[in-house]
Amino acid sequence: MPSVPVLSRPILPAVRSLLVNLRDLWHARQLLRQLVQKELKVRYKHSALGFLWSLITPILMTVVFTAVFAIIIRIQVQDFAAFFIAGYLVWSFFQNAVQNSVQAITGNGALIRKVYFPREVLPLSNVVAQGVHFLLALLAISPYLVWTRGIGVVAHLPAVALGIVLIGVFASGLAMLFAAANVSFRDLQELVVVIFLVWFYLTPIIYPLQMVIDVAGDSAVGAVALQIVRANPLTWFVEVFRYPLYGIVRTTGENASSTLPVWPSGELILATTSVALVSFLAGYLVFHRNALTFAKEV
């Protein structure tokens, strides 16, 4: 068929180049490990509490948000602290991984100008380092989740592991994208703080998604809010993580109830997997396309 070679000419070299670049990235895994170790050592150097900060921060945030939204504002969610921490942990990992990667290239100008290595290692090392903090915090908070939500939390750990992989792939794509964009647009490192502040409140972390669905039926503003929340990819990553750690919040009139931990649906897994892969591929391609000029611009 005449159309096959016409389409394959531009596509096959691109795929071949992508595979070669991914192979080079795999060969640089030793450097990635060293950068992760350096990141962890630098962060807690001369710190009295060290890795305990990975646990203290989410606990303090849970206490504050529980006091404000469960006691003062009275959001009707059973075991609000468990509900919040199940969503906040994954959000905190995502935010720190991407925000810390924004200056991964501009902050390592001297290294980039002197030594050749796959530049992707720099933002990815930030993602992996934050993943270590994430796992430590999750491990420390697990007894509380089992105490409040039952032994089903342990039974659904495979879904939690899958959720960690998916959000890690998604965060890696955005980390590379933001790191590359910050080289030519330095205002991004300030703008990203505002972006994540707005993004946090547009993600169902301190309120259940079901609450937004209920409000959408009462007003046009609520309907618009629901569309925005549903278009937010973090909404679904948080749900993938919250289902096996907490359960699903349901409302009947003014009363709210929740299930015990459940498995995320196949549609939810498929949707988040697709978004994660698209994010990683887009971030990688944009990063690699701009990487050739990093040494001149930093």
Side-chain angles (χ1 to χ4, degrees):
M1 296 177 67
S3 60
V4 173
V6 173
L7 289 174
S8 62
R9 281 172 190 164
I11 294 175
L12 286 180
V15 173
R16 194 177 299 117
S17 176
L18 176 62
L19 293 176
V20 170
N21 293 331
L22 290 176
R23 184 193 61 190
D24 292 342
L25 184 59
W26 171 251
H27 289 161
R29 60 188 183 280
Q30 181 67 18
L31 174 61
L32 176 65
R33 187 174 67 85
Q34 293 173 349
L35 288 173
V36 171
Q37 290 176 338
K38 174 190 171 187
E39 166 69 20
L40 296 175
K41 288 180 180 177
V42 168
R43 175 168 176 174
Y44 296 116
K45 189 177 182 181
H46 304 308
S47 171
L49 297 179
F51 279 101
L52 285 179
W53 284 111
S54 298
L55 176 62
I56 292 173
T57 302
I59 287 179
L60 288 177
M61 294 297 291
T62 301
V63 170
V64 171
F65 277 93
T66 300
V68 174
F69 290 94
I71 299 175
I72 299 176
I73 299 180
R74 295 182 180 277
I75 289 182
Q76 297 298 315
V77 173
Q78 185 180 3
D79 296 328
F80 183 89
F83 167 83
F84 174 80
I85 198 68
Y88 180 75
L89 282 179
V90 68
W91 165 263
S92 180
F93 160 68
F94 172 73
Q95 180 186 25
N96 293 331
V98 177
Q99 275 193 258
N100 290 351
S101 298
V102 171
Q103 300 185 59
I105 302 302
T106 56
N108 290 283
L111 180 63
I112 289 174
R113 286 191 294 271
K114 292 179 180 177
V115 184
Y116 171 77
F117 59 92
R119 312 307 193 198
E120 301 89 333
V121 170
L122 293 172
L124 292 180
S125 66
N126 283 302
V127 176
V128 176
Q130 291 303 320
V132 173
H133 298 302
F134 179 37
L135 291 175
L136 289 173
L138 180 61
L139 182 65
I141 211 72
S142 292
Y144 173 73
L145 291 172
V146 172
W147 178 54
T148 55
R149 307 307 298 169
I151 197 65
V153 173
V154 178
H156 292 85
L157 281 182
V160 177
L162 177 60
I164 293 173
V165 172
L166 292 177
I167 189 65
V169 173
F170 180 64
S172 296
L174 287 189
M176 289 187 285
L177 185 65
F178 278 46
N182 189 55
V183 173
S184 54
F185 181 58
R186 302 297 173 91
D187 289 344
L188 181 61
Q189 58 199 40
E190 304 298 333
L191 183 60
V192 73
V193 177
V194 180
I195 291 174
F196 274 91
L197 180 61
V198 175
W199 203 343
F200 174 79
Y201 287 101
L202 293 178
T203 305
I205 297 170
I206 56 177
Y207 53 86
L209 177 60
Q210 185 61 45
M211 179 181 291
V212 185
I213 295 174
D214 294 342
V215 173
D218 300 333
S219 66
V221 175
V224 172
L226 177 60
Q227 294 301 318
I228 294 174
V229 170
R230 279 181 164 166
N232 174 9
L234 252 296
T235 295
W236 308 112
F237 284 104
V238 167
E239 293 296 286
V240 164
F241 204 72
R242 182 175 276 154
Y243 279 19
L245 285 181
Y246 176 84
I248 303 174
V249 175
R250 294 196 173 104
T251 57
T252 305
E254 295 182 353
N255 299 319
S257 61
S258 61
T259 69
L260 292 176
V262 297
W263 296 97
S265 67
E267 291 82 0
L268 188 56
I269 294 296
L270 182 61
T272 49
T273 300
S274 301
V275 172
L277 292 177
V278 169
S279 168
F280 186 88
L281 188 60
Y284 180 82
L285 292 176
V286 171
F287 186 94
H288 194 263
R289 184 173 184 177
N290 290 277
L292 296 175
T293 61
F294 284 165
K296 297 179 181 178
E297 297 185 63
V298 295

